[in-house]
Amino acid sequence: MTSRIVVIGPGAIGLCVGAALMAGGHEVTFFARQPFSTLAVGRKGQVAQVVAARVVTALDQLRASDWVFSCVKAHQVASVAEALRAAIGPRTQLAILQNGVEHLENVSPFVPANTVCVPVMVDMPATRQRPGIAEWGPHARASVPAGPAGEAFCALLAGSFLASNIRDDWRSQAWRKLCVNAPAGAILALTGQPMGVFHRPGIADLARAILAECIAVGRAEGAVLEDGILATQMHDFMTADPEAGNSMYEDWRAGRETEWNARNGVILRKGAAHGVATPVSAIVVPLLAAQHTGAPR
Ligand SMILES: NC(=O)C1=CN([C@@H]2O[C@H](COP(=O)(O)OP(=O)(O)OC[C@H]3O[C@@H](n4cnc5c(N)ncnc54)[C@H](OP(=O)(O)O)[C@@H]3O)[C@@H](O)[C@H]2O)C=CC1
Ligand SMILES: CC(C)(CO)C(=O)C(=O)O
C-alpha cells in the first residue's frame, strides 16, 4: 500500500531514507529550507540514479500525512515544530530518525500528545554532497521498538537498501549506538581529525574513558550492555578506516553546531540523575559546546 510521507530535514539521513521510501513506491515530500528538484542517492562509490523529487519549503504546502519522518538533528527539532504540526494529523505516525537516546523527549513538546511516535536508531553512515545528493555506506540499518507502529515502519522500508528491524530491547540498542557515537563524535570534533586520530598518544585512553562513562550511565538507565562491549567497541575504533569521519566531525568541519548535547551532554545529564560519576564527560562537554562558531573551517 502506498503511503504519503513527509520527510522533514533532507540532509544525509533524510535524503537516503527518502530515496529508500520512494524506491518502495511511497509518495515522499521533502520539507526543506533549500529547494531542489532531483534526488540522487546511492551507495558510496556507486553511481546514483537521478529521480524527480517532490520538495516544499513553505509551511502552507504541508498537509496531514500518513507518516512524518523527522530527520533533523536533535537540537534542530524545535526549529521544525511548525512543520511537524502542519504535517501531523490525527492518524499520522511520526518516525524520529536521530542519534542519541532522547528521541521521544526531543519531539514531545512539539507534537500533539496522542501522536504515535516511532524512535528510530539509524546505523547508516551517510553524507550529503549538495541539496538532493547523498551517499550511504558501507551499511544501512535501522531498528525500532516492538509494536504495531514499529512493524508499520519496517513494512514501509521492506525490500529497500535500508534494512530495518524490530528490537524488543530497543533502548539497549540505542545506548549501544551511543557507545559508538559518544567517544568517536567527541574525539573527531575536538581534534578535527578522522578516525586515524585514535592512534595518536593518549586518544584511545580518552575514548575509553568516555565509553566507560557511557556504558555506566546506560546501564543505570536500564540498558543491557554486554560485559565485553568496552573491549569490542574500542577494537572497532582502533581498526576503523583511518580516513573515516562521522556526522559530528562533518558538522565541526562545516562550522555547524554539533549534536554535542544529544550525544555527550546526555551522559552528563543522565549520569547526574543516577549519581553516576562522569568526570571525563564533564570536561569534554563544555569543550564541544564552546566549539560552535558558525564559520566553516
Ligand atoms: N549522517 C550520518 O552518517 C548519520 C546521522 N545520524 C543521525 O541522524 C540525524 C540527522 O543527521 P544528518 O542527516 O547527518 O544531518 P544533516 O545535517 O545532514 O541533515 C539535517 C537536515 O535538517 C535540515 N533542517 C534543520 N533545521 C531545519 C529547519 N528548521 N527547517 C527545515 N530543515 C531543517 C537541514 O537543512 P539544511 O540543509 O538547510 O541545513 C538538513 O537538511 C542526526 O541525529 C544524526 O546524528 C545517524 C546515523 C548516521
Ligand atoms: C556511526 C555513524 C557514522 C554511522 O551510523 C553515525 O552514527 C554518525 O555519523 O552520526
Side-chain angles (χ1 to χ4, degrees):
M1 182 182 83
T2 298
S3 293
R4 289 178 301 113
I5 303 167
V6 171
V7 173
I8 298 179
I13 294 300
L15 290 173
C16 291
V17 74
L21 292 164
M22 289 168 66
H26 299 293
E27 181 191 305
V28 175
T29 299
F30 293 96
F31 177 77
R33 288 190 286 210
Q34 305 172 64
F36 55 95
S37 56
T38 56
L39 184 68
V41 169
R43 191 184 189 120
K44 194 168 184 177
Q46 294 182 3
V47 176
Q49 183 189 2
V50 180
V51 297
R54 181 186 292 106
V55 180
V56 299
T57 56
L59 292 171
D60 62 8
Q61 294 173 289
L62 289 171
R63 297 289 179 275
S65 300
D66 299 318
W67 280 87
V68 171
F69 276 46
S70 170
C71 298
V72 299
K73 290 220 161 76
H75 55 275
Q76 297 168 333
V77 173
S79 72
V80 295
E82 290 181 281
L84 287 167
R85 281 193 286 271
I88 292 173
R91 285 179 298 282
T92 301
Q93 297 183 92
L94 171 62
I96 307 121
L97 290 81
Q98 255 175 40
N99 267 319
V101 293
E102 299 169 299
H103 301 59
L104 300 181
E105 296 92 322
N106 288 338
V107 300
S108 60
F110 309 112
V111 300
N114 58 352
T115 303
V116 175
C117 295
V118 181
V120 186
M121 189 286 285
V122 187
D123 185 9
M124 173 172 58
T127 52
R128 178 186 62 176
Q129 284 66 42
R130 289 195 303 280
I133 300 177
E135 64 180 17
W136 60 271
H139 53 264
R141 302 184 283 254
S143 61
V144 294
E151 300 282 354
F153 174 90
C154 291
L156 290 175
L157 289 158
S160 77
F161 65 81
L162 180 52
S164 303
N165 57 34
I166 297 282
R167 290 278 179 157
D168 290 333
D169 184 6
W170 182 85
R171 173 150 299 279
S172 298
Q173 189 71 1
W175 273 98
R176 198 165 287 115
K177 179 70 184 321
L178 191 62
C179 287
V180 178
N181 290 136
I187 297 275
L188 270 54
L190 287 174
T191 62
Q193 298 179 53
M195 287 301 291
V197 75
F198 272 69
H199 297 277
R200 302 291 293 274
I203 297 299
D205 291 340
L206 175 58
R208 188 178 290 106
I210 298 169
L211 176 56
E213 291 179 358
C214 185
I215 293 166
V217 176
R219 286 171 174 161
E221 279 277 295
V224 176
L225 300 171
E226 54 279 6
D227 290 344
I229 187 171
L230 188 138
T232 304
Q233 189 53 61
M234 284 307 300
H235 176 265
D236 289 351
F237 288 148
M238 302 312 287
T239 55
D241 170 3
E243 293 309 314
N246 57 40
S247 61
M248 196 112 140
Y249 173 64
E250 294 303 329
D251 279 342
W252 174 84
R253 291 177 68 194
R256 295 188 295 257
E257 181 165 13
T258 67
E259 282 184 309
W260 62 270
N261 197 19
R263 294 159 65 140
N264 294 91
V266 63
I267 296 169
L268 214 51
R269 290 185 274 109
K270 293 190 178 291
H274 292 283
V276 175
T278 59
V280 176
S281 295
I283 293 169
V284 162
V285 167
L287 292 173
L288 288 167
Q291 277 194 316
H292 182 223
T293 63
R297 293 173 175 87

